Amino acid sequence: MNHSTGEGRADWLHLPEVAGARRRTTATLLAAQVLGSLGIGAAPSVGVLLAESVAGSETWAGIARAATTVGAALLALPLASLAARHGRARSLALGWSLAAAGAGLLVLAAVTVSVPLLVLGMLGMGGGAATQLQARFAATDLAEPDRRARSLALVVWVGTLGAVAGPNLGVPGAPVEAWAGLPPLAGAFAIGGVLLAVTAVVVRVGLRPDPLLLAQRHVAAAAAVGPRLAPGRAGLSEALGLVRASPPARLALLSLVLAHVSMVSVMTMTPVHLSHEGGTITFIGLTISLHVLGMFAFAPVVGAAADRYGQVPVIIAGQGVLAAAAVVGATGAGSPTVVAVALTLLGLGWSVVTVPASALLSESVPAPARPLVQGLGDTAMNAAAALGAIASGPLMALLGFPVLAALAGLVVVPVLWQLRRRTAVAG
């Protein structure tokens, strides 16, 4: 418990109205995370195949996946700003609504064979990814100080249930296509659009009273969290200065960005590669599900290891897993089963790096600066990953999947070099 922020005296958290709102908030967020993550889960697998089908190009498949990442980056800060002004319910409902609209545009893109609609649809789906991230923090608005991490982790964990199943929406999508006369691959997004629209209604109706607005009514922001960096260019500049001045923060940010680039770049083109190797849509969906499982299933174990052994040793272990994924993917690219193993390892490596690096980034800067520095980290991750996703299509078209997998493994080199420099300075 952080007594310096006054949280230890937050007796209002024990009021009956707050306790009831906390239970309602948790139940609403759990339901929304499952539905929402299921609704957007088809984007990494079916969406990439749809992009190639509509545009007839591996390059456009990469651009479409990048559009999802760009959408998440562009919408994250506006949604957070909306929440600060008008509450979580309005912000989350808008985010899920944008994702539902994106799913609808993807159906239209398949029907009309329109590349612009395809890109706009994937941008909208990126809004769902940004909303998922914001929902984690909504779980902490009314949480008691000694239960905030558990509240956040519960929402994240439950969301993975939908994320694992979502890539397989192509299977139930086939009967929908036959019934509605839709082209192949459109059915998954027709189902996803309905799920996302329902999710928007769930959060808009269920988050009453609004958890963030209720918390703001009980505690003045200044007394609750102390001074914060001002928004805008001045605050962003100060956040960048804090990261540059802290070697641990620099290491954490570098690790986060490069692990995310590696993961997104390979995951973007894996469905296309598996399709070329004769993989069915069922197998492709299963492969993406295993990848997502690798990303999230062991996160609690990774966190416990970071707490016990330190964040830097776990980050180093993550580099080893990422390197192993690259070797398996590069040497076994001709076997769909081996590629599935490589992608699962890639998801696990991402988790083993991202969990401790996120904690290290937060702990390496003063508490008042953490929200903006964390936002800076998310923005950098998504921007770099978008570039990686765009580049992955041409790289695979020119050099092949084995080279793409090998190049993704090279991300460990800058991180290990930075660790070596830290060790030399410390010595």
Side-chain angles (χ1 to χ4, degrees), residues 335-352:
S335 168
T337 301
V338 175
V339 171
V341 172
L343 202 65
T344 303
L345 282 173
L346 182 62
L348 178 61
W350 178 90
S351 179
V352 178

Side-chain angles (χ1 to χ4, degrees), residues 122-151:
M122 295 299 272
L123 282 169
M125 294 291 273
T131 307
Q132 270 190 306
L133 293 175
Q134 186 179 123
R136 298 179 304 169
F137 299 103
T140 68
D141 290 333
L142 298 177
E144 296 167 292
D146 59 350
R147 298 187 64 86
R148 283 179 183 163
R150 277 173 283 184
S151 298

Side-chain angles (χ1 to χ4, degrees), residues 101-131:
L105 288 174
L106 290 174
V107 174
L108 287 176
V111 172
T112 62
V113 195
S114 168
V115 173
L117 288 179
L118 173 75
V119 175
L120 287 174
M122 295 299 272
L123 282 169
M125 294 291 273
T131 307

Side-chain angles (χ1 to χ4, degrees), residues 252-262 376-377 379-382 384-385 411:
L253 185 59
L254 181 67
S255 301
L256 285 170
V257 169
L258 293 181
H260 203 58
V261 168
S262 177
L376 172 67
T379 300
M381 287 171 63
N382 284 318
V411 300

Side-chain angles (χ1 to χ4, degrees), residues 117-208:
L117 288 179
L118 173 75
V119 175
L120 287 174
M122 295 299 272
L123 282 169
M125 294 291 273
T131 307
Q132 270 190 306
L133 293 175
Q134 186 179 123
R136 298 179 304 169
F137 299 103
T140 68
D141 290 333
L142 298 177
E144 296 167 292
D146 59 350
R147 298 187 64 86
R148 283 179 183 163
R150 277 173 283 184
S151 298
L152 186 150
L154 180 61
V155 171
V156 172
W157 172 256
V158 170
T160 63
L161 299 178
V164 169
N168 298 287
L169 282 182
V171 177
V176 172
E177 293 157 6
W179 172 76
L182 295 173
L185 305 176
F189 295 104
I191 296 172
V194 173
L195 290 171
L196 290 163
V198 171
T199 306
V201 173
V202 166
V203 295
R204 195 71 177 94
V205 173
L207 292 180
R208 295 182 181 174

Side-chain angles (χ1 to χ4, degrees), residues 30-279:
L30 293 181
Q33 286 295 87
V34 172
L35 291 171
S37 58
L38 182 59
I40 65 173
S45 56
V46 184
V48 174
L49 297 178
L50 177 63
E52 188 183 27
S53 174
V54 169
S57 165
E58 291 182 357
T59 299
W60 276 105
I63 291 174
R65 179 65 182 89
T68 305
T69 307
V70 170
L74 291 177
L75 290 170
L77 289 178
L79 288 174
S81 178
L82 181 64
R85 295 195 307 270
H86 301 292
R88 298 287 189 188
R90 187 177 299 188
S91 175
L92 295 178
L94 176 60
W96 290 125
S97 297
L98 290 172
L105 288 174
L106 290 174
V107 174
L108 287 176
V111 172
T112 62
V113 195
S114 168
V115 173
L117 288 179
L118 173 75
V119 175
L120 287 174
M122 295 299 272
L123 282 169
M125 294 291 273
T131 307
Q132 270 190 306
L133 293 175
Q134 186 179 123
R136 298 179 304 169
F137 299 103
T140 68
D141 290 333
L142 298 177
E144 296 167 292
D146 59 350
R147 298 187 64 86
R148 283 179 183 163
R150 277 173 283 184
S151 298
L152 186 150
L154 180 61
V155 171
V156 172
W157 172 256
V158 170
T160 63
L161 299 178
V164 169
N168 298 287
L169 282 182
V171 177
V176 172
E177 293 157 6
W179 172 76
L182 295 173
L185 305 176
F189 295 104
I191 296 172
V194 173
L195 290 171
L196 290 163
V198 171
T199 306
V201 173
V202 166
V203 295
R204 195 71 177 94
V205 173
L207 292 180
R208 295 182 181 174
D210 189 281
L212 183 57
L213 297 181
L214 180 61
Q216 290 174 346
R217 284 199 299 269
H218 281 282
V219 179
V225 298
R228 291 169 290 180
L229 294 184
R233 294 178 61 184
L236 180 59
S237 176
E238 188 173 347
L240 285 168
L242 289 170
V243 172
R244 285 196 297 264
S246 169
R250 293 201 304 270
L251 172 64
L253 185 59
L254 181 67
S255 301
L256 285 170
V257 169
L258 293 181
H260 203 58
V261 168
S262 177
M263 185 272 292
V264 171
S265 299
V266 176
M267 186 183 71
T268 295
M269 300 313 299
T270 296
V272 177
H273 174 69
L274 289 176
S275 179
H276 291 172
E277 293 294 327

Side-chain angles (χ1 to χ4, degrees), residues 58-59 265 269 387-401 403-404 407-408:
E58 291 182 357
T59 299
S265 299
M269 300 313 299
L387 293 175
I390 291 172
S392 64
L395 281 173
M396 193 174 93
L398 291 172
L399 304 175
F401 186 82
V403 175
L404 176 63
L407 289 174

